[in-house]
Amino acid sequence: MTANSTYSFFNDVGSFVDKAARFTKHPKGLIEQIKQCNSIYHVTFPLRLQKGKFKVIEGYRVQHSHHKSPVKGGIRYSSGVNEDEVKALAALMSYKCALVNVPFGGAKGGVRVEPSEYTVDQLERITRRFTSELIKRNFIGPAVDVPAPDYGTGPREMAWIADTYMTFNSEQVNALGCVTGKPLTQHGIRGRKEATGRGVFFGLREAVDSYEDMQKLGLHPGLGDKTVIIQGLGNVGYYTGINLQKQGSTIIGIAEYNGGIYNEDGLDIEEVHQHRMDTGSILDFPGAKTIKNGQDLLEYACDILVPAALENQITTKNATKIQAKIIGEAANGPITADAEKILLKRGVFIIPDLYLNAGGVTVSYFEWLKNISRVSFGKINKKYNELNNQLMVDAIEDASDTNLPYKQRMQLIKGAGEYELVDSGLEGVMVGAYHEINEIRKKDNVDDLRTAAFINSINKIAVSYLELGVFP
Ligand code: NAD
């Protein structure tokens, strides 16, 4: 949905930075440097189709900020990929990493293909060739630039990228850290697949736990009584929905590119997902009303709207019609800068993308650490911790002359494995970052969370530049 033909996602991100910069004292030139994309790589290569036909495939990799190395960001496969979009997404990655204190610069990649129009074999050839092009120009490597999944890509594509990189760099001991979001069998990490959606859940939970903020919206704190509409039932939308549902929220609507479904009594995410697997679409889900235009669902009444598909979904065209009280930006850039002004005036509480979907890069960071240290979390200390816990529980039982129930005893003794460590690490990061932003919101008297989040990120990136001596 494009409100007007001059829409630039990258300029929108820049305008958010400008708004936040007014609350800082950094020199104008430094803010300009922070906003720029440091390196932009545009590549084309041929794909051989059947019967001697060829197709030109276009790809991009943009490294937004080299204030930290390596740079990090997903690779998107979509027919809508273009330079402006990849630049904007790369910039958001820099701000996101700074916000959650993950020591990477920001980057993003995109290949302009509609995955459903290609066979698996063709997608593999596209992925491997794109990776080779990145290798040629030093745009990939564990110390240089580390891609991850994004819209239209997943563990399968990441495995092809890793394998291609390994083929060219078999002597590099850290080679597996060249990409994250890999399948577990290819040295991925437990919890990465669901990390972004789970992070969205942690972020929403923190936001709605604030009595003060919820009171202003006429809502009670907590997720339990909230109605939710989700746009996009892909990786991020699915795991966000699953987690919200487990916490007691009612998912009343799901929008997809080809329409939506609505049921005020609630939709079971797992059953909708299964229905999509069986029929190829979420539409005609038993018991739900089918909505012809999925976009219309964004305007339905609900407590929380979660856009989890693409950018530029809430624009000046529909911002006045949005009835949700809270919008959780699981996707990158779903609300345009102009639409945000309208929504804020109307009192809508927006939890911004650079914070809310940062769970993906957080767990990618854990995967990268696992790959470069070549050991999985918990492997060395799990048994040791269990033995210590056992000694402690024995001592407590002896001193109190009681025996704990077996289940409780085992829970106390159990050491943390990789999943438990990753998930608690993710929760800690998301909760900590929310409160950092919230403090800035209060201290600087900023009226929205996005500006507070950008102030936080800009300050951290500025310090990096100043400490590097780039701006003595
Ligand atoms: P995905 O490809 O797994 O899923 C996207 C879903 O959105 C698909 O089901 C698709 O059919 C649907 N969709 C497409 N156009 C739509 C439309 N107009 N209306 C409704 N639904 C539509 O992608 P994803 O990985 O879940 O990414 C979604 C968003 O989250 C993107 O903005 C991405 O940049 C962002 N994000 C993803 C990750 C990650 O780890 N995958 C991390 C951070 C941010």
Side-chain angles (χ1 to χ4, degrees), residues 54 101 189 193:
F54 287 84
N101 302 311
I189 194 164
K193 201 167 57 159

Side-chain angles (χ1 to χ4, degrees), residues 76 150-152 192 196 231 234-236 256-257 276 308-309 331-332:
R76 173 175 288 197
D150 191 68
Y151 184 93
R192 172 60 184 91
T196 309
Q231 183 196 37
N235 173 288
V236 179
E256 259 295 330
Y257 67 94
R276 188 183 194 183
N332 284 307

Side-chain angles (χ1 to χ4, degrees), residues 12 41 77 147 157 183 208 234 298 305 318 344 357 373 375 383:
D12 261 13
Y41 179 36
Y77 283 5
E157 286 74 17
V208 304
L298 302 184
L305 175 63
N318 58 359
L344 290 177
N357 67 33
S373 56
V375 62
K383 191 67 197 165

Side-chain angles (χ1 to χ4, degrees), residues 31-70:
I31 297 296
E32 275 314 305
Q33 168 57 40
I34 290 173
K35 279 164 66 182
Q36 296 306 315
C37 288
N38 292 167
S39 309
I40 301 173
Y41 179 36
H42 175 209
V43 64
T44 56
F45 54 85
L47 174 74
R48 191 196 294 269
L49 303 168
Q50 281 165 337
K51 297 183 186 150
K53 285 190 181 156
F54 287 84
K55 181 151 190 182
V56 178
I57 305 291
E58 229 178 324
Y60 299 88
R61 185 76 187 166
V62 173
Q63 298 177 342
H64 171 258
S65 180
H66 292 148
H67 72 287
K68 290 215 187 288
S69 285

